[in-house]
Every structure is written in structure tokens, then in C-alpha cells.
Amino acid sequence: MPELPEVETVARDLRRRLLPEGGGPGPVIVGARVSWTKTVRDGDSDSFAVAVAGRRIEAVGRRGKQVVVDLSDGAFLTIHLKMTGQLFVVPASLPVDPYERLALALDDGREIRFRDVRKFGRIGLYLADDDPFDGIGPEPLDDRFTLKAFRSRIRGRRARLKPLLVDQAFLAGVGNIYADEALWRAKLHPLRSARSLRPSDERALYRHIREILAEAVERRGSSIDDYTAPDGDGAMQERLDVYQRTGEACRRCGRPIRRIVIGIRATHFCSWCQRLPRSDQPAAAALLRTMTPTRGARVATRKATRWVELDADGALGRTSDEAARARARTARTRAAAAARRAAARAGSSA
Ligand SMILES: [Zn+2]
């Protein structure tokens, strides 16, 4: 699902296509064609078409994961792309796509078309006094979102980091891709509890959330699944370090990237670089037992030298293979050192 960088890219492309570069008024919406009623947020496509007609487009922006189109008289549209929503601005004469769910006709002969294969996308029309964003957290790229603001939000939270980061009430716009990427960059395990973070961890997480999002905006987002913007695809997918790289080598340590399923979300991380503190291990292991589809694999904790290790996917530490290889390596190193010491003793006594 498109996250902050993808939605920001869509909003910027729309703005460029709809509004004059130097400022000034945009086109007027002259009508709406609704082919899938549920695309209209309140399900009333007739009222929607009547209420939207005659309104001028004044600005295009974004809040969280939604495109926001400001119209005359304080009204505004919210467009939630969800899984497969796409927006295009095209001449009205262009043949209509079978997956088009809603179109807005403009007075300049063009149409804004909303294409949505899976039909989860929603477009809402609101009036000046409405606040559909009540309860949505701060914008992570906003200047007002300082380290201090982040600290005051995260301190005292009991949640695990991954579910917390994708919670829109905690932070706006972060989803599966950028939560996984920010946690990898900050070297924090996705099942770590927010309250276990030290001040340096908080700083790293804050910095990497903002960095990955800013970088992704610059690269027009990650074109994964159906995401594309009015002016074309993004390129951030080439820069992702963990998302959908299960089994591939971690770019920091070379060990395989792990995947666990928390709720309905796949979570990608490196269990070597993103170490779980001992205090968080029992709770994380219990969560994994309930959340990971077992596929016949036994998930059991076992004491290891430096951390509790899980069988099966090695989600909290190394797999048993890796542990065996590490033990063999340690044994070989020790044997070699012992041989060197013996040789040195033999040499000095000769
Ligand atoms: Zn790693």
C-alpha cells in the first residue's frame, strides 16, 4: 500500500498537472462519473456528484497516506489510494479504462481519473468545518516534528516498535515498507518494546525514519505492486535494504534477511544487526508464538550464550544451522590458537 513518499509523489504530480506553476486558480470541476459507488466514502454517489460540481481546484497536498485536494469555499477531497488506487489526469476523449471507479470532469477538457483494480480506495468530499484527520498523528517530515516531539510521543509507550510505527495515530504516513527500512537502519528489532529504547536509540530511530522517508520522496516512492504516480513510477524499490528481501544477504552483515508475520503484516529484518535486548525476549517470543503461522515449525526458546535463540526461523537470533556453524568456527579458531601456542612453547624450549 502506498505510504507517505508514494502519496506525496502522487500529490506533487497532480499539483503540477492541475495548477499553474506561478500560482493562480486551477480548473473547475464540472461533473463526476462514479462507476463504483463504494469508492465514494459515504456511499452516496449522487450527492457527491452534485456537491463537487462547480467547485474550483485551489491546492493539492497530502495528509498521512491520503491526497487532499482543496476546493473553493473551504471544501476538500480526500483520496485514499489503499492497495491499488491510481490517479491520472487525461484528456476527456481518452477511452475509459474498465478499472476506472470514479472520474472528475474539468472545465479545461481533461478528467482526473481514479483507477482501482481491487476497489479498496476511497474518495471523500468534506466541507470547511469537517475534520476527517482528527486522531491522525504528526507528519514525520514536518519541521515541527523535532527529536524532542518524537521523544515525548514515544516515551512511556508499551507497544512493540513495528506495530507502533505503522499506527497512524502515532505517526502519519509510515507503513510496512518504511517502518521495516527505518528499523533496519536504526539497528532496532521490530519486536523491541518502545520503552526499552535508550536516548541514543530514540535519536537513531527518529533520524532514520525521517531520512528514509525524505530519500523515498526524492526517488518518487517505491513502485511495488500497483503503485504508480500520474507522471510515472518511482525508483526507491531499488534502494530498499530489507523489504521483500527475505533470505537475501543483509547489506551490513551478510546474514539472511528474516521475515515474520505480525498480525497481517510481513515484517523484514536482520536478526543479527537488529538485536533484541534480553529483557524483551520472553515477550517477543510469546508474541511470535501467537503471530507467526507455524507451517509445522516449532517455535521454542533456548538459552544461547548471548541471547535467547528461537528455533524455526531464527527470528530472535540465529537459526540452529548458523549457531552450529558459529560453534564450529569458534572451535576451529580455538584449536588453531592452541596449536600456535603449543608450537611457540615447543620453539622456545628448543
Ligand atoms: Zn545484518
Side-chain angles (χ1 to χ4, degrees):
M1 186 160 105
E3 304 177 23
L4 186 156
E6 290 78 33
V7 181
E8 178 66 28
T9 303
V10 170
R12 288 181 182 186
D13 285 1
L14 266 189
R15 191 186 308 143
R16 203 164 26 240
R17 288 182 169 246
L18 293 173
L19 297 167
E21 211 169 307
V28 172
I29 298 171
V30 292
R33 176 172 67 237
V34 182
S35 340
W36 182 251
T37 307
K38 285 185 181 167
T39 298
V40 175
R41 192 167 279 285
D42 66 5
D44 188 346
S45 51
D46 293 339
S47 304
F48 175 87
V50 170
V52 83
R55 290 187 191 270
R56 188 178 289 283
I57 293 175
E58 294 187 338
V60 182
R62 177 193 58 78
R63 177 77 172 100
K65 296 181 190 173
Q66 301 193 66
V67 175
V68 182
V69 181
D70 285 343
L71 306 174
S72 39
D73 300 322
F76 56 100
L77 290 167
T78 61
I79 306 170
H80 205 318
L81 304 169
K82 290 289 178 84
M83 312 271 288
T84 56
Q86 300 170 338
L87 284 165
F88 302 98
V89 182
V90 294
S93 56
L94 206 76
V96 171
D97 184 296
Y99 295 111
E100 178 198 288
R101 307 302 175 196
L102 193 151
L104 298 171
L106 306 175
D107 67 348
D108 60 7
R110 296 183 298 168
E111 288 182 349
I112 302 173
R113 291 184 179 174
F114 183 64
R115 179 182 193 268
D116 186 15
V117 175
R118 298 193 58 188
K119 306 184 199 168
F120 292 116
R122 292 293 177 264
I123 298 181
L125 176 66
Y126 297 92
L127 301 177
D129 296 338
D130 298 334
D131 184 11
F133 306 117
D134 187 33
I136 294 189
E139 287 290 334
L141 292 180
D142 195 313
D143 288 343
R144 288 167 295 183
F145 187 66
T146 58
L147 174 59
K148 196 173 162 211
F150 178 65
R151 283 195 160 131
S152 73
R153 273 191 100 67
I154 200 164
R155 284 197 178 156
R157 298 295 291 247
R158 304 172 66 90
R160 309 273 139 196
L161 294 178
K162 175 66 187 282
L164 184 62
L165 290 185
V166 299
D167 177 358
Q168 297 304 292
F170 176 69
L171 212 53
V174 177
N176 228 12
I177 302 174
Y178 301 106
D180 285 2
E181 296 294 320
L183 287 169
W184 182 82
R185 288 187 176 196
K187 300 187 186 174
L188 296 169
H189 195 289
L191 291 181
R192 187 156 170 181
S193 65
R195 60 179 172 172
S196 76
L197 298 185
R198 296 163 299 181
S200 58
D201 298 323
E202 291 167 353
R203 194 182 319 115
L205 185 55
Y206 167 79
R207 186 163 69 86
H208 288 297
I209 289 169
R210 285 171 50 101
E211 270 182 17
I212 188 92
L213 291 173
E215 195 181 324
V217 168
E218 203 158 296
R219 295 180 169 274
R220 298 179 49 81
S222 302
S223 279
I224 290 173
D225 300 330
D226 290 60
Y227 164 71
T228 191
D231 290 341
D233 286 356
M236 188 63 189
Q237 66 279 7
E238 294 152 20
R239 293 298 184 100
L240 302 180
D241 290 306
V242 286
Y243 188 76
Q244 291 189 347
R245 291 192 67 240
T246 311
E248 291 175 44
C250 167
R251 296 202 170 112
R252 247 181 337 233
C253 74
R255 292 176 178 81
I257 297 300
R258 314 267 186 219
R259 176 181 183 275
I260 53 174
V261 178
I262 304 179
I264 52 161
R265 295 169 196 277
T267 294
H268 309 79
F269 64 105
C270 172
S271 58
W272 180 272
C273 294
Q274 294 165 263
R275 215 55 80 69
L276 199 58
R278 189 176 289 275
S279 60
D280 266 341
Q281 287 169 358
L287 262 180
L288 270 182
R289 270 195 292 275
T290 60
M291 288 172 168
T292 311
T294 49
R295 283 184 308 229
R298 191 171 55 92
V299 179
T301 54
R302 185 173 68 234
K303 284 268 183 205
T305 44
R306 290 162 65 198
W307 60 91
V308 175
E309 195 174 283
L310 280 185
D311 281 353
D313 285 324
L316 303 187
R318 295 177 293 190
T319 58
S320 35
D321 281 21
E322 287 168 341
R325 278 202 298 276
R327 278 195 299 274
R329 231 178 0 253
T330 309
R332 278 199 303 276
T333 313
R334 281 193 186 141
R340 272 197 308 278
R341 281 195 303 274
R345 274 198 301 275
S348 65
S349 66

